[in-house]
Amino acid sequence: MFKQTTQVKVGNVLIGGNNPIVVQSMTNTDTADVMATVKQCAELSKAGSELVRITVNTEAAAEAVPRIRDQLEKMNLDVPLVGDFHFNGHKLLSLYPDCAQALEKYRINPGNIGRGNSRDDKFAQLINIACTNNKAVRIGVNWGSLDQELMAQMMDENNHLATPRETVDVMHDALITSALDSAKSAEKQGLPQDKIILSCKMSGVQDLVKVYQHLSQRCNYALHLGLTEAGMGSKGIVASTCALAILLQQGIGDTIRISLTPAPGEAREKEVQVAQEILQSLELRSFTPTVIACPGCGRTSSDTFQHLAKDIAAFLKQSMPVWKTQYPGVEKLNVAVMGCVVNGPGESKHADIGISLPGNGEKPVAPVYEDGVKTVTLKGNKIAEEFEAVVIKYIQNHY
């Protein structure tokens, strides 16, 4: 099921091949503001982003990139930085060679480089700089900025067919063609396949799935997945999850980003958390212990299990920076916090460690199960603290 693509090294991160799917994100600061960008890069990295992309759109931004890299290194953060270039990337990378060296990957969009011979020359210049600096390149095609000359050509060819295809199908094919033709051009100029990552981003779930299914069949390049302009809140999360889950389950995708629009004041790290939760839910990677919690119903007499589930999840997440070095494998731990006798004991037995809290009319006791065996029954007003202590002891004894 899982297709092996060409492995690409981006800084200290391996993408494709047999390597775990990589989580990445992007800052929304003005890159010329060095300290603001450093702060957000650090926050994203600490949240689990294994690559961080930054906008490089002006000379001030290009000049700031090496200083951002230096500040991150002083903080002992070696997260690879990806430069996001549109329209003038060839110029900025030429004028600021230190920027070209400080970045580990360049993200370029064939539809935003130019037209005709001008586009070819600018693309060649970008690829030459990548080759000179031994950097990876993501050739990222977006349907919002598709090469209009290519699209017009393919639409004209389609119109002359005896049975023309649907316009949306031609657009899908144009996205794929743009990406593959650009990759072939880059290889001809000396950029090896193990330095190329492709993406064809769209904002429609079914469109994205179809495009990547076809793209995957036509190449062995490492692929970056993401539903572009996914949106805000639950809409963005659900849409991204729907699209990426289908593709990842089919073995398509080597690195992902969740393009959420943050609410005013909302932390940028949310997109990293969602990406990790998608991969963990699909059992493709493990980042933090899983907490299975009862949703509650008319049988639950209080919200105790809700508070306990929330507190335990927060406790596990906060402890992970230390635990992941002290207790290898602890991120695969499964904890169940259940609210009544219907599914409580059964779910608790299936988890590594679980607690079944009393529901309406049940005795005010909470049995705890470890590896399917009841080990203790908790009572009183300190069940949460006592269960937390049981979890810590379990981790110490098993990892």
Side-chain angles (χ1 to χ4, degrees):
M1 176 186 292
F2 291 90
K3 179 179 179 179
Q4 183 170 327
T5 55
T6 302
Q7 176 178 281
V8 179
K9 187 175 183 181
V10 180
N12 59 351
V13 175
L14 296 176
I15 298 172
N18 290 317
N19 298 292
I21 295 164
V22 172
V23 173
Q24 61 179 277
S25 59
M26 185 175 182
T27 61
N28 61 356
T29 57
D30 178 359
T31 305
D33 187 338
V34 173
M35 296 317 297
T37 305
V38 167
K39 180 177 182 292
Q40 195 170 83
C41 286
E43 291 169 346
L44 291 168
S45 175
K46 290 175 181 178
S49 183
E50 293 153 310
L51 296 178
V52 175
R53 183 155 48 111
I54 58 178
T55 298
V56 187
N57 59 335
T58 64
E59 291 193 25
E63 190 274 333
V65 170
R67 291 188 286 146
I68 293 168
R69 175 75 275 162
D70 290 344
Q71 288 296 320
L72 290 170
E73 289 178 354
K74 290 177 181 178
M75 299 166 67
N76 293 318
L77 293 174
D78 59 355
V79 59
L81 296 179
V82 180
D84 190 70
F85 294 99
H86 293 276
F87 310 111
N88 60 352
H90 63 291
K91 176 182 177 182
L92 295 176
L93 288 170
S94 298
L95 290 175
Y96 295 90
D98 288 346
C99 170
Q101 185 58 43
L103 296 168
E104 294 296 344
K105 186 174 74 170
Y106 310 151
R107 190 275 194 193
I108 58 178
N109 184 341
N112 283 341
I113 293 178
R115 293 177 178 274
N117 292 333
S118 173
R119 177 187 60 219
D120 295 340
D121 291 344
K122 293 173 183 177
F123 182 82
Q125 194 172 344
L126 281 163
I127 297 303
N128 181 60
I129 294 170
C131 292
T132 300
N133 289 280
N134 194 31
K135 302 298 182 180
V137 173
R138 172 158 75 92
I139 298 173
V141 182
N142 278 45
W143 74 343
S145 51
L146 180 60
D147 182 343
Q148 293 304 304
E149 292 180 26
L150 176 63
M151 184 63 187
Q153 174 190 331
M154 295 184 68
M155 283 299 298
D156 186 57
E157 293 172 354
N158 183 64
N159 291 335
H160 286 84
L161 296 176
T163 306
R165 300 160 62 199
E166 294 290 332
T167 299
V168 69
D169 293 329
V170 178
M171 179 181 286
H172 290 174
D173 200 23
L175 283 161
I176 296 170
T177 299
S178 177
L180 292 178
D181 285 354
S182 297
K184 291 175 185 175
S185 177
E187 286 196 73
K188 288 180 180 178
Q189 292 174 224
L191 190 68
Q193 191 173 96
D194 63 4
K195 290 293 183 183
I196 298 173
I197 298 172
L198 297 187
S199 69
C200 290
K201 287 191 172 185
M202 309 183 81
S203 57
V205 171
Q206 296 295 348
D207 293 304
L208 189 82
V209 170
K210 289 178 183 177
V211 165
Y212 272 93
Q213 287 173 337
H214 292 152
L215 178 62
S216 176
Q217 292 170 359
R218 293 174 59 178
C219 74
N220 289 317
Y221 294 109
L223 301 180
H224 169 73
L225 298 187
L227 189 74
T228 191
E229 289 95 33
M232 297 181 69
S234 60
K235 184 272 177 187
I237 293 172
V238 171
S240 292
T241 302
C242 288
L244 269 60
I246 293 171
L247 293 167
L248 292 170
Q249 185 67 17
Q250 294 175 0
I252 300 171
D254 302 290
T255 174
I256 65 173
R257 185 208 169 188
I258 308 301
S259 300
L260 297 179
T261 303
E266 184 179 27
R268 190 71 168 175
E269 302 95 288
K270 183 71 172 180
E271 65 178 48
V272 179
Q273 177 188 346
V274 173
Q276 290 181 332
E277 289 178 355
I278 290 173
L279 294 176
Q280 184 148 334
S281 295
L282 291 171
E283 299 182 4
L284 296 174
R285 290 188 67 179
S286 295
F287 298 94
T288 190
T290 299
V291 177
I292 301 166
C294 168
C297 68
R299 296 182 184 88
T300 52
S301 57
S302 72
D303 59 0
T304 302
F305 73 94
Q306 295 170 320
H307 289 292
L308 180 57
K310 180 180 179 181
D311 292 345
I312 286 295
F315 166 69
L316 294 172
K317 185 175 182 179
Q318 292 167 2
S319 302
M320 277 305 294
V322 175
W323 282 357
K324 67 183 179 182
T325 58
Q326 292 183 344
Y327 308 111
V330 70
E331 65 276 5
K332 296 181 180 180
L333 176 72
N334 281 291
V335 180
V337 180
M338 305 302 294
C340 78
V341 73
V342 174
N343 290 319
E347 287 284 1
S348 296
K349 291 177 182 177
H350 289 312
D352 296 317
I353 182 169
I355 185 170
S356 180
L357 296 164
N360 293 338
E362 297 177 30
K363 293 182 180 179
V365 296
V368 175
Y369 298 83
E370 298 179 40
D371 298 322
V373 178
K374 186 169 73 172
T375 56
V376 65
T377 299
L378 305 180
K379 306 175 183 179
N381 298 322
K382 295 186 178 181
I383 288 179
E385 293 89 336
E386 292 174 0
F387 183 63
E388 189 175 292
V390 172
V391 172
I392 293 174
K393 185 175 180 181
Y394 181 92
I395 291 171
Q396 292 173 337
N397 291 336
H398 288 75
Y399 296 97

